Amino acid sequence: MGVTGGQISPVRSRERFLLGESVEGSVRGPILNSWMRSRMLGLSPEQTDLPYTDDFDPDSRLVRAAEPVLDQLQSRFSGSQMNVSLADGNGTVLQRRFGEPALAGRLPPIQSVPGFVFAERYAGTNGIGLALAERRLCQVYGAEHFAERSQSNACSATPIRDQFSGHIVGVLCFGYPRSYEDPALPVLVRRAAESIERRLMEQSSARERALLRTYLDARLRARGGEAADDGQLIGLDELTAGGLDRQDQMVLKAKATELICSPQRAAVEVSLSHGRGVTLLSSPVTSLSGVEGVVVEAVLTGESPPAHHLAASKPTASALGALALAATERAESLTWHLADASARGDGQTGPDTGPTAGPTAGPTAGPTAGPTAGPTAGPTAGPTAGPTAGPAAGPTTGVDDAADAPGAVRGLVLVGEPEVGKYAVAARRRLELLAEASTRIGTTLDVSRTAWELAETAVPRLADYVTVDLAGAVLRGEESADPQAELHRTVVHGIRDDCPFYPVGHQVRLDPGTPHMRCLEGAPAVLETDLQATTPAWMVPGLDHARGILAHNVHSMICVPLLARGVLLGIATFYRSEDPAPFGDDDTRLAQELAARAALCIDNARRYTREHTLALALQRSLLPRGLPEQGAVEVAHRYLPAESGVGGDWFDVIPLSGTRVALLVGDVVGHGLHAAATMGRLRIAARNFAELELAPDELLTHLDNLLVRLDREEDDASATGSNGIVGATCLYAVYDPTSQVCTMARAGHPPPALVAPDGSVAFPDLPAGPPLGLGGLPFETAEIRLPEHSTLVLYTDGLVDGRHRDIDVSLDQLRHALAHPDRSPEDTCRAVMEAVAPEHPGDDVALLVARTRTVPADRIATWDLVPDPSLVSDVRGAATRQLADWGLDELAFAAELMLSELVTNAVRYGSEPIQVRLIHDRTLICEVSDGSNTAPHLRRAATTDEGGRGLFLVAQLSQAWGARYTARGKVIWAECALDAA
């Protein structure tokens, strides 16, 4: 809670919290988190004592930078009850200023004397402690303070950062009575902190200018006021005019920055363009005021610079003096210097413009603020983010040997302090890491793999260990309604494998107040900088597990939520152990950037997983779940979905009348839900057309017409963003085990493979036919006789074709895999998938293997008739005797009635030739064929009708009946179950 309607009223919420009641939603998140941490630390609201120390430097860099600002603030608040405090990065108060000086005598020492520590772990919720914990500007009002002593006060506090390193070095805090609240105070405290940060930067700039002057003076003294003929000194600008392009300059500056990080003499060979070589020499230098730094010079070897450059660098005192002046002027013109310091040119800082001077002018040199300005104040200061090039020779003895070589040209590159150089190198490496992350994270559309790529990118360049916890729903491709309840450890990755983090697959349960829970509850990131010195309160519930982690010297951590498009996916946690420097704010921002990129990629993968799962579920629901009973072939099948997206491949086995069977494979062009839905429509249509007993070429024609109509519907709906159907391929085969003839037709589909009983494999040259969806083009059929125990193999192109595969090689592999006639269809499927199917299919694979059977001749009885009604009784008698021979006497009565009706209809309404056939298979099949194309229809006869009841009687006595057309007429058939009697 904060200021509402001019009143501050968190009192009731605080009382409820101290009683153990839930105050979620009624208290600001940072305040509630601080209360919870204070309670877990065992702090008491009545506590009045705080640690006191006099072991602090009253003249530290922070104090010297802040004093002018504090003076101006004291003057601005003169006569008020404002209390301005300056604390260091540990929460120890270093300075106090009062608008009314008499306040210092009336307030207790804890509120007026420097040296008291207001860190949250000692003082509970307060402005200084909360600013350090949240690492941003914070305000605390009245009862939001955890301690009773501060209930009547309010405060605004903000961290002070070292702009080179990004580390928090102090806190500026305004304390005031609750009635003094003003919306301008947060702006004022922020601007005052920025002024102190600028003054800290000025101190560094002045130190570097002093180093530069010391270096130039030393060069002049070494030459006795006049340089020698060799080892001539020029600036990098002159070297640039001598043949160094912009890339060469960046290479030199990047390498020079690395040398500054190590305060020792060294020589490094750097290879540049056009065959030129440069030796970088680094040497320690100490200014008159005791500032220790490093100077880096470049000595060019190889081609000599043009003559006018040598003339421009004559070894005269005036030349070196001009160089010194130019270098100093360049140093003082750096963008972060204040105007008054530049004008004075004495390396000292002038009075600050005060806390109301507005935002800092010019770019900062912090390690994450874009291209690093570099650590130097020398004549070549500028971006140092270029790549490091050339083999490094490492530190050597005789560093000046290269400089003393005849004709060598020597120029100043950089001057700076080692620590600042480290920040510049770290900044460049952070930029490189971000660039690398853009290519390494999100290379696949797999949720878990993307999370691993985040960890692999961060270790070891940012963190030593990384864990990623994702909601279970996210792993399934869905949005999680409650990520807190179903977090699963997805990634554990680090420099070592023995750190006892919860393993992958473990369900993570979080306690209130932990950094992980705070991230799930809305915190953009949580940084813990010191896990070793004092165990944080949030670790107490799981102390045994925490001790195991801390035993591996894990000392700091960053917890970041994985948030993309408003969807919370999980959390990523970064740990540091080997690097002695704890995580800082710059590391936190880098971790947030990496997590944001990874979260977007994970969300893309989640959405793809969802669509892929839906499409796969739809496709599997539309494919045959089991093979129907039939006796014509022994069948096995395989279906392998594509990794990159579900396609529209399908297969089917359809029993037909007369013991025949239809085998079908097809492939819809495209991937995803649309292709799967189109496949389902085509499969259902193909099954319906097959039930009509259509010939293969006619069935394909009907499917072609259907696809043309669907395509037109898609064109009409194109405004909605639908993807038009391109087409489909299909192979349709009908096998008759009574004649051992297989009739096939294909529409742009690969031909089947035929395996003869002797093991020979052939790919019959069937008429190809156009793909489905073109419309108006004919299809052709082909008939092939298949001996018993032949194998017919139907497949889609995903089995043998691919972007990186040679189809001829794949067909040869398929031929060798099929050349084993003794294998069962199931074993054949397994062998083909192992030998031919790609390991990572880019398209769906459908495989259908059918071994043919035949109906023995002694189980087929045929009679040819002339159209004479008197012969009906003869047919009944012959059929009865045949059924007796087959042992089916129980079916004689039903068979006689069905044959009597069917033969009578053929004789009365049909034409020659008339034939009767009985087939003893899984069922008893009665067939009557004639030369007429007119098929009978079942109807309900009226009570006054003399006929019309024959087909109704057949339908009642049989389990199935129907009609099919042939090249010579039609066949009326009826099936009777063998156990029907």
Side-chain angles (χ1 to χ4, degrees), residues 5 20 85 89 152 172 210 221 231 249 296 343 351 396 444 570 577 683 730 885:
S85 302
S152 60
L172 182 65
R221 289 194 300 271
Q249 294 180 58
V296 179
T396 65
T444 68
S577 63
R683 177 178 174 257
C730 184
D885 292 342

Side-chain angles (χ1 to χ4, degrees), residues 13 38 46 59 103 130 210 221 237 313 359 409 447 486 536 590-591 614 622 646 684 732 766 892 941 976:
S13 296
S38 300
E46 293 80 17
D59 192 37
L103 279 176
L130 191 60
R221 289 194 300 271
D237 291 343
S313 57
V409 181
V447 172
E486 56 166 354
L590 179 59
L614 289 175
L622 296 174
V646 176
I684 293 173
Y732 184 72
L766 302 180
C976 188

Side-chain angles (χ1 to χ4, degrees), residues 362-513:
T364 64
T368 60
T372 304
T376 80
T380 60
T384 61
T388 302
T396 65
T397 58
V399 169
D400 289 330
D401 292 346
D404 296 334
V409 181
R410 186 168 180 169
L412 178 63
V413 181
L414 293 178
V415 176
E417 295 180 79
E419 288 302 316
V420 180
K422 291 178 182 178
Y423 301 145
V425 172
R428 187 179 75 245
R429 288 174 179 170
R430 288 188 180 100
L431 292 174
E432 292 171 351
L433 181 59
L434 285 176
E436 182 180 334
S438 64
T439 60
R440 289 190 60 182
I441 300 176
T443 60
T444 68
L445 287 172
D446 180 84
V447 172
S448 297
R449 181 59 209 154
T450 304
W452 274 99
E453 288 170 346
L454 167 63
E456 291 167 352
T457 301
V459 174
R461 296 168 66 179
L462 172 62
D464 296 314
Y465 299 96
V466 174
T467 63
V468 180
D469 304 318
L470 297 178
V474 173
L475 296 172
R476 298 189 298 270
E478 305 167 2
E479 291 187 13
S480 176
D482 185 12
Q484 301 178 14
E486 56 166 354
L487 276 183
H488 289 79
R489 180 59 48 86
T490 306
V491 174
V492 177
H493 181 61
I495 56 175
R496 294 168 55 185
D497 297 330
D498 59 347
C499 198
F501 294 102
Y502 290 125
V504 172
H506 178 83
Q507 185 168 358
V508 180
R509 302 188 183 279
L510 302 177
D511 296 312

Side-chain angles (χ1 to χ4, degrees), residues 825-878:
E826 186 65 30
D827 292 338
T828 300
C829 279
R830 186 180 302 108
V832 168
M833 296 302 288
E834 291 177 355
V836 187
E839 183 177 357
H840 302 286
D843 193 7
D844 290 13
V845 175
L847 176 66
L848 189 63
V849 177
R851 175 179 288 179
T852 63
R853 297 169 177 165
T854 60
V855 178
D858 59 359
R859 290 198 168 213
I860 303 174
T862 306
W863 299 277
D864 293 322
L865 302 178
V866 296
D868 184 355
S870 63
L871 298 178
V872 174
S873 60
D874 296 338
V875 172
R876 289 200 301 266

